Amino acid sequence: MLQEESDLSLIIAQIVQKLKGSNLYSQLERQAWASLQRPEIKLESLKEDIKEFFKISGWEKKLQNAVYSELSVFPLPSHPAAPPEHLKEPLVYMRKAQGSWEKRILKSLNSMCTELSIPLARKRPVGEQKELLNKWNEMGTDEPDLSLFRPVYAPKDFLEVLINLRNPNYENGDSLSFRTHLGLIQVPLKVKDIPELKECFVELGLNIGQLGIDDSTQVPPELFENEHVRIGQKVLAEQDSAAAQQYIRQGSPTALRAELWALILNISSQPEDVLYYEQLKTNVIQHDLLVDSLIYKDVKLTASNDDYYFVFEDYLYQVLLCFSRDTSVLSHFAYNSASPPKSYIRGKLGLEEYAVFYPPNGVIPFHGFSMYVAPLCFLYHEPSKLYQIFREMYVRFFFRLHSISSHPSGIVSLCLLFETLLQTYLPQLFYHLREIGAQPLRISFKWMVRAFSGYLATDQLLLLWDRILGYNSLEILAVLAAAVFAFRAVNLMEVTSLAAAEAVLADLSTLKKT
């Protein structure tokens, strides 16, 4: 009990410290000073009167939402004496594996630099700055020669790293489990079984209404849809993040989704947010980074060739180029097992005082990275708002899909959960696919690492992402991946090769997620 109280007081202290540096804190301070002029504020009951004023004026709700938002990304409680790297990742072998992987990525980036004789960063000449500024809203029309550039890595390279992960303290020979023989992921992490998943995702039960099923044309709208929309409007009127997160677990009405997601992520476009986005844009205009070409290449290879997303090409460039310059993203490395890559000012290699994070946000894009942004373009058409939503989605969720960690929403746990579900509940299918050299994870990994973006139809993908936000968890991705195999099990039992299995699962766009 005492330990719980101490954990809670530590969390409260850290959240208060974080909020003190925020814009909301200065706004609350100004409002408190201004309220002193009001006749209902009495000196003898000053504290209570100001609290009441905050409640009536809506500032209390904004503070609650900010605290709730911080709690959503707060690391799991650990021992007060635990060093910072334990907050990033408690398991030493995971930290080492992530460190080795980062070195490989950086080596790939540096070798590209050397081969192409291109600097990591350079200041653009004035003429080039003007040209980029003039075509900022139509960068998709630009056709730079990117033939020599290659993605730093692709999901399949990352999968090979995860397959080779081992816990040195765990000897496979000691206790041979069924999973140890069959699955590609060979690390002993605790993942949920079906009863635990049912308990966790209780709102997805068959006896509870779901958007995506109960709003279909065959079901009269008065049975579920009308009431669900009415409740959604009420949640938005209340401006309560926690209520919005609970509500969205049953799916969001299309017309309310953009506002609900912004409320859950605690994003409200203030003038200073627009100004911050403009500053990032100025940084893009003034400086050219090597990662810019990787972003261009990725958009051209993925979203530009997608039937749903090719129209958003310009938005993708704007958001991703600004994202690469955003140093506020660095703060998420406090709870991310990864560490931001460092580079050195020319001629000062190895001298720490001349080290800089590269790129400035600490995130090197990989093949498919732009697909994290593309679906959001359907919801947000104002670039600075779109940017804020994507950045918050990334630092809450997406970073976990390309870093090695033991977190329940980390990609290693998702792979293990997927394999465990298939092995336990569809053992014949799992064994058949393994025998023909078509390990299921080799097919499903790319779906999970992209959070199914580019694989599901957009309306289905947004319903899936509703649940990610609603449960503040990525575990639903592994459950859906296993469900896809279950849905196509009859066809998959007939295949005799990996290519044939991939062909059966090539088009998920006709699947209904719910």
Side-chain angles (χ1 to χ4, degrees), residues 16 40 46 56 82 84 110 113 131 137 170 229 244 265 297 305 310 312-313 319 353 357 428 492:
V16 167
E40 65 268 26
L46 185 64
I56 294 165
N110 286 329
C113 257
E131 187 186 349
N137 291 317
Y170 179 82
V229 171
L265 298 169
K297 180 92 172 185
N305 294 321
F310 72 94
F312 300 124
E313 195 176 342
V319 167
E353 62 267 34
F357 292 125
Q428 279 183 298
L492 288 169

Side-chain angles (χ1 to χ4, degrees), residues 113-368:
C113 257
T114 310
E115 284 169 28
L116 304 179
S117 302
I118 292 173
L120 285 171
R122 69 177 180 90
K123 191 170 172 66
R124 298 183 200 271
V126 177
E128 194 180 319
Q129 289 185 32
K130 285 181 180 173
E131 187 186 349
L132 182 56
L133 187 59
N134 289 335
K135 66 178 183 190
W136 180 255
N137 291 317
E138 45 193 50
M139 282 190 277
T141 59
D142 205 16
E143 291 290 341
D145 181 18
L146 301 170
S147 55
L148 297 174
F149 291 92
R150 60 183 185 276
V152 177
Y153 69 94
K156 65 176 186 296
D157 306 315
F158 188 39
L159 175 59
E160 292 307 318
V161 174
L162 302 189
I163 290 171
N164 290 312
L165 260 182
R166 295 291 182 276
N167 182 347
N169 304 321
Y170 179 82
E171 176 53 59
N172 280 350
D174 288 351
S175 113
L176 285 172
S177 69
F178 191 54
R179 191 190 73 239
T180 310
H181 286 294
L182 297 184
L184 288 176
I185 300 299
Q186 298 285 316
V187 289
L189 295 177
K190 172 78 177 79
V191 293
K192 293 184 176 76
D193 57 19
I194 288 277
E196 288 169 319
L197 287 168
K198 279 183 176 175
E199 193 178 328
C200 176
F201 298 113
V202 68
E203 293 84 0
L204 298 183
L206 293 174
N207 58 336
I208 293 175
Q210 304 291 331
L211 274 189
I213 296 176
D214 299 297
D215 56 336
S216 65
T217 48
Q218 290 82 19
V219 182
E222 59 272 12
L223 290 182
F224 170 71
E225 188 182 3
N226 293 352
E227 180 63 8
H228 192 61
V229 171
R230 190 188 66 77
I231 295 169
Q233 289 165 339
K234 192 174 179 183
V235 166
L236 284 175
E238 289 291 319
Q239 282 297 292
D240 187 322
S241 288
Q245 190 168 26
Q246 180 65 39
Y247 169 81
I248 212 169
R249 291 177 177 188
Q250 291 172 262
S252 169
T254 305
L256 307 182
R257 182 174 282 121
E259 286 182 78
L260 284 166
W261 285 20
L263 179 56
I264 293 166
L265 298 169
N266 199 33
I267 301 292
S268 57
S269 277
Q270 303 292 327
E272 55 271 22
D273 297 318
V274 179
L275 184 62
Y276 185 72
Y277 174 77
E278 288 300 322
Q279 287 171 340
L280 294 173
K281 177 180 167 182
T282 302
N283 288 342
V284 176
I285 301 294
Q286 290 176 348
H287 295 92
D288 180 28
L289 305 182
L290 171 68
V291 291
D292 295 353
S293 296
L294 298 179
I295 289 166
Y296 272 109
K297 180 92 172 185
D298 186 52
V299 173
K300 292 288 183 196
L301 288 175
T302 55
S304 297
N305 294 321
D306 191 285
D307 291 346
Y308 293 106
Y309 304 126
F310 72 94
V311 291
F312 300 124
E313 195 176 342
D314 296 327
Y315 276 159
L316 297 178
Y317 292 133
Q318 290 169 17
V319 167
L320 288 167
L321 291 173
C322 288
F323 181 67
S324 66
R325 271 74 170 176
D326 192 347
T327 53
S328 74
V329 176
L330 291 169
S331 62
H332 92 284
F333 285 104
Y335 53 87
N336 180 352
S337 62
S339 298
K342 281 183 181 176
S343 186
Y344 295 87
I345 291 167
R346 193 172 290 171
K348 306 289 184 183
L349 185 65
L351 298 173
E352 279 305 307
E353 62 267 34
Y354 294 101
V356 291
F357 292 125
Y358 184 87
N361 69 345
V363 181
I364 295 174
F366 58 90
H367 180 60

Side-chain angles (χ1 to χ4, degrees), residues 52-72:
E52 187 59 28
F53 165 72
F54 277 161
K55 194 172 187 176
I56 294 165
S57 58
W59 285 99
E60 183 189 57
K61 188 72 76 177
K62 288 181 182 178
L63 180 58
Q64 282 175 356
N65 289 344
V67 170
Y68 190 73
S69 178
E70 289 299 326
L71 284 170
S72 296

Side-chain angles (χ1 to χ4, degrees), residues 26-56:
S26 54
Q27 287 178 320
L28 287 169
E29 214 171 24
R30 281 199 300 272
Q31 289 295 324
W33 279 107
S35 71
L36 296 177
Q37 313 297 325
R38 302 173 73 89
E40 65 268 26
I41 307 288
K42 304 285 190 293
L43 194 59
E44 57 273 17
S45 55
L46 185 64
K47 190 176 176 181
E48 294 308 315
D49 289 350
I50 288 180
K51 274 187 182 176
E52 187 59 28
F53 165 72
F54 277 161
K55 194 172 187 176
I56 294 165

